[in-house]
Amino acid sequence: MALRKIVTEGDPVLLKKCKPVEKFDARLAELLDDMAETMYKAEGLGLAAPQVGIIRRIVVIDVTEDRSGLIELVNPEIIERSDEQQYGTEGCLSFPEMYGYVHRPKTVKFRAQDRNGNTYEKEVSDLFARAVCHECDHLDGRVLPTYIEEPYEPKDDE
Ligand code: NI
């Protein structure tokens, strides 16, 4: 496994619509391993492939505090969104100084493939749902500054 460089604000790769993954091979497995390592090192909750310069529909997420809940989403698709919303803050490893409030569905159901190409579905809520929405937005070139509804300034004493 190896750390990858996280692409930041201003790099056009962040604004691209990513292509589906077609080959479930050793290269994909290596990329997924690297993305997880990079996410953990940066203390992020999720990372999308364009954030490491790869224009493919690949996401890793772990919203657990003890970092034991890694999930890999290849070619993810959100297939259900609850009417009930949540409103909370989001940040992004590619926009390290930026935080803001964003509405998201409280619960989403998504369909994705694992690293072997097997399709699975999962329903998630709260922070996990927020992370799935945020990372799937990355795959269509939608990034935090385009959808923050109100800025949030973290305070030093928090
Ligand atoms: Ni992000």
Side-chain angles (χ1 to χ4, degrees):
M1 297 215 290
L3 286 176
R4 304 255 177 152
K5 186 171 157 19
I6 296 178
V7 167
T8 51
E9 182 160 19
D11 193 313
V13 75
L14 291 172
L15 307 179
K16 298 253 164 83
K17 185 169 169 68
C18 296
K19 295 182 218 111
V21 171
E22 283 158 6
K23 276 194 220 157
F24 294 82
D25 56 7
R27 228 175 130 201
L28 174 65
E30 188 184 352
L31 174 61
L32 282 161
D33 289 342
D34 290 355
M35 283 174 62
E37 189 180 348
T38 305
M39 171 185 74
Y40 287 129
K41 180 81 194 310
E43 298 181 1
L45 304 180
L47 191 69
Q51 294 183 275
V52 294
I54 308 283
I55 308 169
R56 291 281 175 184
R57 305 188 79 80
I58 305 168
V59 163
V60 293
I61 290 173
D62 187 346
V63 294
T64 62
E65 277 191 27
D66 65 2
R67 316 307 267 153
S68 65
L70 179 65
I71 183 160
E72 300 173 341
L73 295 75
V74 179
N75 299 328
E77 220 185 317
I78 295 173
I79 51 177
E80 281 176 37
R81 295 172 170 79
S82 64
D83 290 334
E84 192 183 346
Q85 299 281 300
Q86 52 174 322
Y87 191 54
T89 55
E90 286 183 29
C92 180
L93 294 174
S94 294
F95 298 84
E97 305 296 315
M98 188 177 292
Y99 298 90
Y101 288 89
V102 185
H103 277 99
R104 299 289 193 182
K106 184 169 168 55
T107 300
V108 298
K109 188 172 178 185
F110 70 87
R111 180 182 299 141
Q113 286 165 285
D114 66 16
R115 60 171 62 200
N116 300 312
N118 300 310
T119 299
Y120 68 98
E121 290 182 2
K122 195 170 171 68
E123 188 174 282
V124 297
S125 296
D126 303 312
L127 183 60
F128 203 155
R130 178 175 292 285
V132 169
C133 293
H134 178 109
E135 301 310 332
C136 287
D137 276 348
H138 270 295
L139 304 181
D140 290 321
R142 269 170 53 78
V143 286
L144 198 57
T146 67
Y147 56 73
I148 279 182
E149 295 165 57
E150 287 176 89
Y152 168 77
E153 302 288 341
K155 297 192 181 68
D156 291 340
D157 57 354
E158 276 182 352

